[in-house]
Amino acid sequence: MLGQDFSLAGARLTALGTGALWWAEKRLLCVSDLHLGKSERIARNGGAHLPPYETRDTLIRLENDLMRTGAATVICLGDSFDDLGAARGLPDEDRLWINRLQAGRRWVWIEGNHDPGPVDLGGSHLAELPLPPLTFRHIARPGRSGEVSGHYHPKVRVQTRLRGISRPAFLFDSDRVILPAYGTFTGGLRSSDEALAGLMRPEAMAIVTGQTPRILPMPRG
Amino acid sequence: MAETRLPDTFQDWFSRRGWSPHPHQIDMLQRADAPALLLIAPTGGGKTMAGFLPTLVDLADGEHDGLHTLYVSPLKALAADIKRNLRTPVDEMGLDIRIEDRTGDTSNTAKKRQRADPPHILLTTPESLALLTSYEDAPRMFNGLKRVIVDEIHALAESKRGDQLMLTLSRLQGMCPDLRRVGLSATVDKPEEIAALLARHPDPCPILMADPGPDPDIAMLTTEDAPPWSGGGAAYAIPAVLEQVKRHKTTLIFHNTRAQAEIFFHNLWLANDDGLPIGIHHGSLDRTQREKVEAAMVRGELRAIVCTGSLDLGIDWGDVDLVIQIGAPKNVKRLVQRIGRANHRYNAPSKALLVPANRFEVIECVAALQAVKAHDLDGETRASGPRDVLCQHILLTACAGPFDADALYVEVTSVGAYTTLTRVEFDRCLDFVATGGYALKAYDRYQRLMQRADGLWQLRDPRGALRIRMNAGTIQDTDTLKVRYQRSRGGAPLGEIEEGFAASLTPGDTFLMGGKVVRFESMREMTVEVSRNATRKPKIATFMGTKFATSTQLSQRILRMFQQQRWPELPPHTADWLALQRDVSQLPQPGRLLIESFPHDGRNHVCVYGFAGRNAQQTLGLLLTKRMEEQGLAPMGFVSTDYATLIWGLDAVTDPAPLLDRDRLHQGLDTWLAGNSLMRKSFRAVATISGLLDRNVIGQRRTGRQTSFSSSILYDTLMKYDPGHLLLDITREEAMRGLVDFARIDEMLERVGDRIDHVTLDRVTPLAAPLFLEVGKVSVPGSADERLLAEETAALMAEAGLGGS
């Protein structure tokens, strides 16, 4: 089993333990909130010198997911870069790496709030991508259905009988799925937060990332 | 040479008071010109006056202009207290001397004025002093400075605060070459180590020993009720403690943690039928609350004060004639220092009572009493200066202005703890501060420090200084949130609670704060708002009190005590308990290793009685859980004391011997250490002190949760892509030194050989029970998480009628 299967608007989807979403029928892999170049942006703005390895780490994980799924289409669901400067400032080595990953694949960059403009990397740049019965966009819009989005970096806290475990998670209901952040230096927002709890239907489910993804009713407490 | 005789003004003042100066006070005056001088004196030995006498004599002619003496103490409260105590003789002698304090509590206006127009004597803390030297105008402010007095240096020497202070003094010495250093210390086991820390290397540092005074009158409090099997509250002793309070003028009641102090204070009031005036004082209480208690005590209005370490250091709060220690003293040296609190009159024995909180502590108390009688102080050897503190020092130096790396290296190696620092090590720290020090040179364009054409180093962006100053300091406070009454009820501040505890509260929950039961109402901008509510039983606030390890020496005494056939020196209930342990399982023996396995509360436990000291037991827990994970036993966590490590997990340990294979433990040490949460914890502290992680972000305080999350990811990323990074080196060094202490495990395993006694039982044993209540549990991630998640999510799905997916 590749991951945890679920349906959205009639499409059969698979949540991978890494935080990527796989649509087998279309051989499509979707990842959200890569935040490439985050440490560079922080240093550029006079902040701390964080270990400059998060782009490398994120790309290694993405490459693994591309290999094991054999994806033909890749959708990066926005906030792929920590800002447009970070996209421009990407070292040549990482640029070539992304080119290599793109070779022989359809690649779509969806715009996010961190990277609202086009970047000078291969692939197409779109505000959103309708792919019936689904639509891919960065931030969920209330009232829409068949929607795949990211932005919130959702995580859930599961109170097991012996301890609480907190991890990034997919959230989905009959209208939408919200992807967890895929990037290495990314924090998370609890599913109990108003922004998420208000957006998701009462019967929403969560799929916890990790070695084996696990499905459960979305925690709201 | 200074005057050997006390000037008349001073002689007269002493006579008017009916006092004569102590010999060591005169000694200090005679040696006032020594570049460094250490005085070891018991509390109540006129230590402060001994330190300040040369200053007062020097200032008496009124001719000195500007700052003359810096006084540095580990506690803000101490600085305020000393100011009060110095004021009296200065005023009575009619000396024209300005004395001011400067701490985190001082107003910004006062701080600015002090920099422009410094007083003669400035009383401060290591952190405030480090900040002062980071300003560009520091040389002007410290111009003319003659002496620095480091009070309670034995306490500072135990932490990175001492390292930071000594680095700061090296800066000051650069500005004021003739600066003389005086250290004041309570009784310690190795005064020469403290002297080496204090003096500028290689200056000599003579040690003056004051008369230690008579032995303290110290005993264990006997009560009608036996202490409970476990717990730290000592509620059983309340009537007996109240009785003692009634019989004495002023009693200090010490606790090892803040939470215990709160609970005890609450219970004490419930039983205080006579309405005796009793106060509470600890570091989590709001400053105004603390000051109220301090003032009441100075006025002699309080009969007792329930307190923690915040009252521990040399503060003279008046006429204390009894010290009660609740909970076993973890360290004989500290016990002796605490007892010094009682009866501040020299040459009169101090009176103290130990109150064990549970039965294991009865044994600890008896062992401690024997050690005090034998004058057997314990101590640990200090390691070389930590490099994360050096990184912060380089940053603060850069804040004050451009510096020369060669000169700074020379200055740093004049600090006792850093004399062995190599130039290569220094340069790595400098490189880290400047560029991040990564193998991947990513930040050349965004350097924090840059080297100018003339070779000097300076901040790339001078605006960065503000951020560096805001993050200064080496104290790793657990993140706390302020607690105050709701605005509609006046909004008065009460104190602080730990963020983790705050997160566990839901509106309506009650907890203890400053002895009052309060009700949690809401969270507003990082402040916990509460209302008064005395109707419900309180939840307990979890404060991270400073937790001291029981010394090895006490542990060994206890182990020897276990071997007796009977225990006439112990109260019958405790002796019976040991007998029961011997009956149900067995008592640990020297030269053998006792291991118990038993189930409890849905988990399997294994308890290893290594008696190797807290740090080594901690490492043992770390190594054993790693080995258990490899064997598929799904360990979940462990907790350690000085005597034992208790591990819990999903599966039972049936054969412990292979887990303890010495060669395998050796081989795996490095890799085992890497992935452990203790390392992450050390890394977080190292990354914060060295300036990689911000403690404070301008305008908003970063919450501990976010920091905790990202430091863990940073650690993983560094381990993966840059394992040779400086911060990982420092983290490893810290862990080996502080949390690991592998040498003692090794020594224990060698001593034990194959003499392992494994006992399998169906329930918790008498000796293991107290471990369940220990704080500082370490969580072990791994297969247990996967299994628990699978179990819980399946259950939740079934409950929602969605099973079978």
Side-chain angles (χ1 to χ4, degrees):
Chain A
M1 191 177 82
L2 205 51
Q4 174 67 48
D5 295 337
F6 66 99
S7 304
L8 180 65
R12 195 78 189 140
L13 303 174
T14 307
L16 305 189
T18 56
L21 182 74
W22 173 238
W23 190 359
E25 189 197 336
K26 306 265 184 195
R27 293 185 59 214
L28 179 153
L29 188 81
C30 178
V31 289
S32 189
D33 299 272
L34 302 179
H35 286 270
L36 302 175
K38 182 167 186 155
S39 60
E40 188 262 0
R41 181 184 63 86
I42 291 172
R44 175 165 21 98
N45 294 342
H49 291 153
L50 299 183
Y53 306 108
E54 87 287 5
T55 299
R56 187 188 291 188
D57 191 70
T58 305
L59 290 178
I60 287 177
R61 287 185 296 115
L62 181 57
E63 184 161 15
N64 284 341
D65 276 345
L66 291 178
M67 292 306 152
R68 74 180 171 134
T69 57
T73 301
V74 175
I75 298 179
C76 297
L77 210 46
D79 288 1
S80 306
F81 301 92
D82 210 49
D83 67 358
L84 289 172
R88 282 190 293 273
L90 217 55
D92 290 344
E93 184 187 348
D94 294 342
R95 231 161 239 285
L96 288 171
W97 193 349
I98 293 174
N99 285 340
R100 219 162 49 237
L101 297 182
Q102 290 177 329
R105 294 189 172 95
R106 182 183 179 208
W107 194 285
V108 181
W109 302 104
I110 301 283
E111 288 177 4
N113 50 312
H114 279 255
D115 49 359
V119 291
D120 59 344
L121 285 155
S124 34
H125 297 266
L126 300 171
E128 54 181 62
L129 172 65
L131 217 57
L134 304 180
T135 303
F136 293 83
R137 65 169 62 95
H138 181 57
I139 306 180
R141 291 193 201 154
R144 304 302 170 99
S145 62
E147 182 185 67
V148 181
S149 66
H151 179 66
Y152 290 103
H153 301 201
K155 64 174 181 182
V156 300
R157 186 166 189 280
V158 183
Q159 187 56 51
T160 76
R161 69 186 164 95
L162 297 180
R163 68 177 168 216
I165 298 171
S166 181
R167 288 195 189 166
F170 294 81
L171 306 181
F172 73 94
D173 58 21
S174 53
D175 291 331
R176 64 176 46 85
V177 57
I178 302 181
L179 270 58
Y182 196 83
T184 295
F185 288 175
T186 49
L189 184 70
R190 286 238 188 124
S191 59
S192 54
D193 190 279
E194 192 114 345
L196 288 167
L199 191 58
M200 304 303 292
R201 287 175 172 271
E203 67 275 15
M205 307 291 285
I207 299 171
V208 184
T209 59
Q211 210 179 322
T212 312
R214 306 277 178 193
I215 187 165
L216 74 161
M218 184 179 101
R220 289 172 182 271
Chain B
M1 200 72 188
E3 292 178 69
T4 51
R5 213 182 67 84
L6 215 46
D8 291 342
T9 333
F10 290 78
Q11 196 64 58
D12 292 349
W13 179 77
F14 272 101
S15 320
R16 270 206 308 280
R17 287 249 160 177
W19 295 345
S20 58
H22 292 302
H24 61 263
Q25 291 174 329
I26 298 297
D27 278 355
M28 291 288 280
L29 192 59
Q30 281 174 342
R31 299 200 185 209
D33 283 336
L37 194 56
L38 177 65
L39 172 66
I40 310 271
T43 326
K47 203 162 44 171
T48 313
M49 186 45 104
F52 277 106
L53 203 51
T55 298
L56 300 184
V57 168
D58 210 19
L59 285 170
D61 61 12
E63 279 176 16
H64 185 88
D65 205 22
L67 196 55
H68 180 284
T69 295
L70 267 175
Y71 164 90
V72 188
S73 84
L75 285 180
K76 290 186 264 195
L78 199 48
D81 181 47
I82 296 289
K83 184 165 89 168
R84 212 167 30 227
N85 293 348
L86 264 186
R87 208 60 259 177
T88 310
V90 166
D91 289 346
E92 288 180 0
M93 286 187 271
L95 303 177
D96 183 19
I97 297 176
R98 255 177 73 203
I99 305 167
E100 291 177 18
D101 58 350
R102 181 191 183 97
T103 66
D105 289 345
T106 310
S107 77
N108 281 333
T109 332
K111 280 185 180 167
K112 273 206 188 102
R113 189 182 41 70
Q114 283 171 348
R115 274 165 60 198
D117 178 21
H120 295 115
I121 298 175
L122 185 68
L123 315 165
T124 189
T125 58
E127 291 71 29
S128 284
L129 183 59
L131 284 179
L132 265 182
T133 57
S134 81
Y135 289 102
E136 291 176 14
D137 59 6
R140 195 170 54 77
M141 173 171 183
F142 291 107
N143 185 29
L145 178 69
K146 293 212 168 0
R147 309 181 69 227
V148 57
I149 301 170
V150 182
D151 201 359
E152 308 287 341
I153 189 171
H154 60 280
L156 284 171
E158 284 171 11
S159 74
K160 290 182 178 178
R161 301 180 72 197
D163 296 305
Q164 175 164 55
L165 175 62
M166 295 310 155
L167 284 168
T168 307
L169 291 192
S170 74
R171 295 248 67 211
L172 279 177
Q173 196 89 51
M175 298 175 212
C176 325
D178 296 327
L179 181 66
R180 282 156 282 156
R181 309 176 180 196
V182 171
L184 308 178
S185 170
T187 318
V188 288
D189 56 317
K190 291 177 190 152
E192 61 288 348
E193 277 193 9
I194 302 215
L197 214 60
L198 172 69
R200 170 179 55 186
H201 184 75
D203 285 354
C205 180
I207 300 168
L208 292 177
M209 307 281 271
D211 179 351
D215 278 355
D217 164 14
I218 169 175
M220 192 160 74
L221 181 69
T222 46
T223 53
E224 289 194 9
D225 296 331
W229 290 110
S230 56
Y236 79 97
I238 296 272
V241 167
L242 265 180
E243 194 47 43
Q244 290 294 332
V245 170
K246 278 180 207 161
R247 275 194 235 154
H248 291 85
K249 244 189 302 187
T250 310
T251 305
L252 287 187
I253 307 171
F254 273 106
H255 290 261
N256 288 331
T257 72
R258 294 170 191 179
Q260 282 170 3
E262 284 281 359
I263 298 161
F264 193 84
F265 182 66
H266 184 70
N267 290 330
L268 202 57
W269 265 106
L270 292 179
N272 187 6
D273 298 332
D274 298 348
L276 295 175
I278 298 174
I280 181 167
H281 189 288
H282 63 69
S284 289
L285 291 177
D286 188 71
R287 186 181 143 214
T288 50
Q289 302 248 8
R290 271 183 279 141
E291 284 174 349
K292 245 189 246 169
V293 172
E294 289 163 15
M297 184 159 176
V298 170
R299 289 194 302 270
E301 291 170 4
L302 294 177
R303 293 293 298 278
I305 295 176
V306 175
C307 57
T308 62
S310 62
L311 267 185
D312 216 1
L313 295 157
I315 301 178
D316 185 0
W317 295 122
D319 232 348
V320 175
D321 54 352
L322 176 65
V323 166
I324 294 181
Q325 160 74 37
I326 309 277
K330 296 295 174 189
N331 171 307
V332 178
K333 190 164 63 181
R334 205 175 303 276
L335 174 66
V336 168
Q337 288 160 9
R338 269 190 183 169
I339 295 169
R341 214 51 54 254
N343 213 343
H344 259 200
R345 281 176 305 273
Y346 207 41
N347 291 331
S350 313
K351 196 171 165 192
L353 286 171
L354 303 186
V355 182
N358 58 52
R359 280 180 225 196
F360 198 91
E361 291 193 344
V362 172
I363 305 166
E364 289 186 57
C365 285
V366 169
L369 286 175
Q370 291 172 353
V372 171
K373 287 219 173 72
H375 292 271
D376 197 3
L377 292 185
D378 30 27
E380 265 144 51
T381 305
R382 220 175 170 282
S384 59
R387 284 175 289 163
D388 51 350
V389 180
L390 176 59
C391 290
Q392 187 181 115
H393 181 68
I394 296 174
L395 277 170
L396 287 171
T397 302
C399 289
F403 66 89
D404 176 60
D406 297 342
L408 185 61
Y409 173 69
V410 171
E411 198 174 276
V412 165
T413 50
S414 77
V415 175
Y418 291 90
T419 49
T420 56
L421 182 83
T422 65
R423 182 60 196 253
V424 173
E425 288 170 326
F426 174 84
D427 284 340
R428 269 186 89 197
C429 290
L430 180 60
D431 180 45
F432 164 76
V433 168
T435 69
Y438 298 106
L440 180 67
K441 292 288 168 202
Y443 297 131
D444 286 348
R445 270 187 302 167
Y446 309 124
Q447 289 196 4
R448 210 165 186 183
L449 300 188
M450 49 177 256
Q451 197 168 17
R452 311 194 303 192
D454 62 2
L456 298 189
W457 289 83
Q458 69 171 36
L459 290 178
R460 174 174 65 97
D461 181 353
R463 287 170 302 183
L466 179 59
R467 211 178 118 232
I468 292 166
R469 289 195 189 106
M470 287 192 73
N471 284 294
T474 60
I475 304 174
Q476 289 299 299
D477 277 336
T478 319
D479 290 281
T480 53
L481 297 177
K482 287 215 181 321
V483 179
R484 55 166 67 237
Y485 283 125
Q486 283 176 304
R487 242 163 254 177
S488 57
R489 299 175 199 216
L494 285 168
E496 294 181 337
I497 55 174
E498 264 183 52
E499 199 185 347
F501 178 69
S504 76
L505 292 172
T506 48
D509 280 348
T510 52
F511 59 98
L512 282 168
M513 190 82 231
K516 298 181 189 74
V517 182
V518 294
R519 181 176 190 275
F520 174 61
E521 297 293 344
S522 61
M523 281 277 289
R524 191 189 291 257
E525 291 154 11
M526 305 295 288
T527 301
V528 177
E529 295 200 336
V530 299
S531 60
R532 282 189 186 83
N533 184 316
T535 55
R536 285 176 61 180
K537 194 174 172 351
K539 275 188 152 190
I540 295 156
T542 51
F543 302 101
M544 282 290 287
T546 319
K547 197 171 156 193
F548 302 113
T550 305
S551 67
T552 316
Q553 197 194 7
L554 270 183
S555 308
Q556 289 305 317
R557 272 182 189 273
I558 292 164
L559 197 52
R560 289 199 299 273
M561 209 188 280
F562 281 165
Q563 304 321 306
Q564 299 167 204
Q565 269 316 302
R566 284 172 303 115
W567 297 277
E569 74 275 45
L570 294 175
H573 46 69
T574 305
D576 292 349
W577 171 50
L578 291 186
L580 184 68
Q581 167 71 19
R582 192 173 268 166
D583 204 34
V584 169
S585 172
Q586 44 180 275
L587 282 167
Q589 302 174 45
R592 304 187 70 87
L593 182 63
L594 174 63
I595 299 177
E596 293 174 336
S597 293
F598 50 82
H600 178 71
D601 202 14
R603 322 174 200 203
N604 277 293
H605 292 76
V606 54
C607 194
V608 184
Y609 298 94
F611 278 77
R614 185 182 295 275
N615 291 339
Q617 289 288 149
Q618 189 97 332
T619 303
L620 196 60
L622 188 156
L623 295 175
L624 288 179
T625 49
K626 186 81 187 174
R627 302 241 25 213
M628 286 167 68
E629 178 74 34
E630 284 166 6
Q631 297 198 353
L633 296 172
M636 293 173 60
F638 66 90
V639 68
S640 300
T641 66
D642 291 275
Y643 327 114
T645 299
L646 178 71
I647 302 171
W648 53 91
L650 298 185
D651 297 335
V653 171
T654 49
D655 182 14
L659 293 174
L660 287 159
D661 184 273
R662 217 174 133 214
D663 290 338
R664 291 231 202 127
L665 289 181
H666 263 284
Q667 282 164 19
L669 184 63
D670 268 359
T671 45
W672 288 349
L673 268 180
N676 195 275
S677 61
L678 290 178
M679 285 286 278
R680 284 163 208 275
K681 213 161 146 193
S682 304
F683 176 78
R684 184 181 166 189
V686 166
T688 309
I689 292 172
S690 62
L692 180 69
L693 283 178
D694 281 356
R695 187 197 314 265
N696 301 301
V697 173
I698 298 163
Q700 66 163 76
R701 201 170 145 271
R702 194 184 163 122
T703 75
R705 254 152 223 287
Q706 285 162 349
T707 317
S708 172
F709 181 64
S710 51
S711 74
S712 189
I713 291 176
L714 294 183
Y715 174 79
D716 289 344
T717 307
L718 271 181
M719 284 303 291
K720 216 149 127 191
Y721 300 106
D722 210 342
H725 192 262
L726 175 70
L727 292 198
L728 293 180
D729 271 8
I730 302 177
T731 303
R732 243 171 256 129
E733 195 177 282
E734 295 270 300
M736 290 302 273
R737 168 198 299 178
L739 295 165
V740 176
D741 202 4
F742 189 71
R744 295 215 25 222
I745 298 180
D746 210 28
E747 187 253 349
M748 186 263 291
L749 290 173
E750 190 177 40
R751 202 177 54 224
V752 167
D754 58 359
R755 290 176 293 281
I756 294 173
D757 303 315
H758 184 226
V759 186
T760 306
L761 304 115
D762 59 3
R763 68 173 86 162
V764 181
T765 61
L767 208 51
L771 280 148
F772 284 84
L773 297 136
E774 275 291 315
V775 288
K777 295 190 167 76
V778 177
S779 181
V780 181
S783 54
D785 268 1
E786 295 300 325
R787 276 166 63 178
L788 284 169
L789 260 183
E791 199 179 285
E792 186 64 23
T793 52
L796 285 170
M797 293 300 282
E799 205 176 295
L802 301 165
S805 78

